[in-house]
Amino acid sequence: MTIWDSLRRDRAADQFASGNAASNAIELTKRNPSVSLTKQGATTGNLRVNLSWRMRTSDIGGKRRRGDSLLRSPFKFFQPELVQAHTQGVVNVDLDLGCLYELVDGTKGVVQPLGGFFGSLNAPPYVKLSGDDRFGAPSGETIYVNLDHRDEIKRLLVFVYIYDQTPAFDRTHAVVTLFPGNGPRIEIELDERAPQARSCAVFTLDNVKGDLVVRREVKFVYGFQAELDRLYGWGLQWGRGYKTRT
């Protein structure tokens, strides 16, 4: 068997994998787009939703010298290195995490850094944003959902958008990870290339007759929140918002 046969076989096996046993994670993909938190026994406590992202070194100043590592692993020559974005000087992109919510009583709204809508964890909407990371810190941005109030939540749409910078989703390797109170984490990669997109609907969380279902969306749009609103039928009114300068 040649090395190419081995690589093809490994890729074929990966297509049927719904999770990563080594890292104890469930990966939502086009082929496996949804998972039930109820069936995972993960419907209590706080659901933590984290956004992190990286960029290729070739996009921020050229490739690094990799020296002897190429001799040990020649195939790395075809794989651009990835670095964690952590300073404004390195990366000029501001990714924000947000969440559209609809409660069972009909209340609708948004939790996002823009406009300072940080939400609340122990009162409606039971969704809270930890803060606004403007520089791509390794910890990223995090939204918490209080699943102890799951019966009051009808649906959520978690999204990512680029605030007031050049669109760069094609160069930004963003991952949204869900950490339930129980069971494996759930990973969703924003791996589809949409160079001019400014926003991305990442996943929905729907309360379907008591069954909490997470569904991968990864739908890129060229506008902002208003376009996501129209796409998913939220019916909110939107205006231009700005952040305070740091």
Side-chain angles (χ1 to χ4, degrees):
M1 178 183 297
T2 68
I3 188 170
W4 300 111
D5 292 332
S6 177
L7 288 172
R8 282 195 293 267
R9 187 181 63 176
D10 291 342
R11 289 196 187 102
D14 288 343
Q15 289 178 351
F16 295 96
S18 61
N20 187 333
S23 62
N24 191 32
I26 296 173
E27 299 175 7
L28 296 188
T29 63
K30 285 184 177 180
R31 182 164 295 197
N32 299 285
S34 65
V35 62
S36 169
L37 294 182
T38 303
K39 293 178 181 178
Q40 296 286 332
T43 58
T44 58
N46 292 332
L47 171 66
R48 181 162 58 96
V49 180
N50 177 257
L51 165 67
S52 61
W53 54 277
R54 298 179 295 177
M55 294 190 73
R56 295 185 188 276
T57 53
S58 57
D59 293 327
I60 57 175
K63 295 181 180 179
R64 292 180 175 179
R65 295 181 60 187
R66 281 175 268 182
D68 294 340
S69 64
L70 289 177
L71 297 176
R72 293 192 299 269
S73 303
F75 290 108
K76 286 186 177 180
F77 179 81
F78 302 100
Q79 301 174 354
E81 288 185 10
L82 295 172
V83 296
Q84 184 73 41
H86 57 86
T87 69
Q88 191 177 31
V90 172
V91 199
N92 194 30
V93 176
D94 182 6
L95 290 185
D96 282 340
L97 185 65
C99 178
L100 286 167
Y101 63 83
E102 181 178 0
L103 303 183
V104 173
D105 66 4
T107 302
K108 298 179 182 180
V110 65
V111 172
Q112 63 178 19
L114 193 61
F117 296 106
F118 290 99
S120 177
L121 196 59
N122 297 309
Y126 309 110
V127 178
K128 184 174 178 59
L129 180 65
S130 62
D132 179 14
D133 166 34
R134 301 194 185 186
F135 307 125
S139 59
E141 292 188 3
T142 301
I143 282 177
Y144 295 89
V145 182
N146 188 345
L147 294 183
D148 290 336
H149 292 271
R150 60 190 178 278
D151 292 338
E152 299 175 59
I153 298 173
K154 181 178 180 180
R155 61 171 178 158
L156 305 176
L157 170 65
V158 171
F159 60 91
V160 174
Y161 62 98
I162 297 175
Y163 173 76
D164 197 27
Q165 298 288 352
T166 302
F169 274 118
D170 61 325
R171 293 181 289 117
T172 304
H173 297 255
V175 178
V176 172
T177 306
L178 291 74
F179 297 89
N182 183 52
R185 70 180 184 271
I186 301 166
E187 296 180 348
I188 304 173
E189 293 189 13
L190 278 60
D191 53 0
E192 298 178 21
R193 296 294 169 252
Q196 299 303 315
R198 289 190 172 273
S199 306
C200 178
V202 181
F203 73 88
T204 55
L205 174 63
D206 290 293
N207 189 340
V208 184
K209 297 181 179 179
D211 186 12
L212 294 183
V213 178
V214 174
R215 175 169 292 275
R216 175 189 182 272
E217 297 292 328
V218 190
K219 292 182 179 178
F220 290 92
V221 300
Y222 298 96
F224 292 97
Q225 291 87 329
E227 191 168 345
L228 292 172
D229 183 312
R230 288 192 295 270
L231 185 62
Y232 288 89
W234 238 265
L236 300 177
Q237 293 184 344
W238 299 89
R240 179 65 176 171
Y242 299 91
K243 293 184 181 182
T244 57
R245 294 184 179 275
T246 56

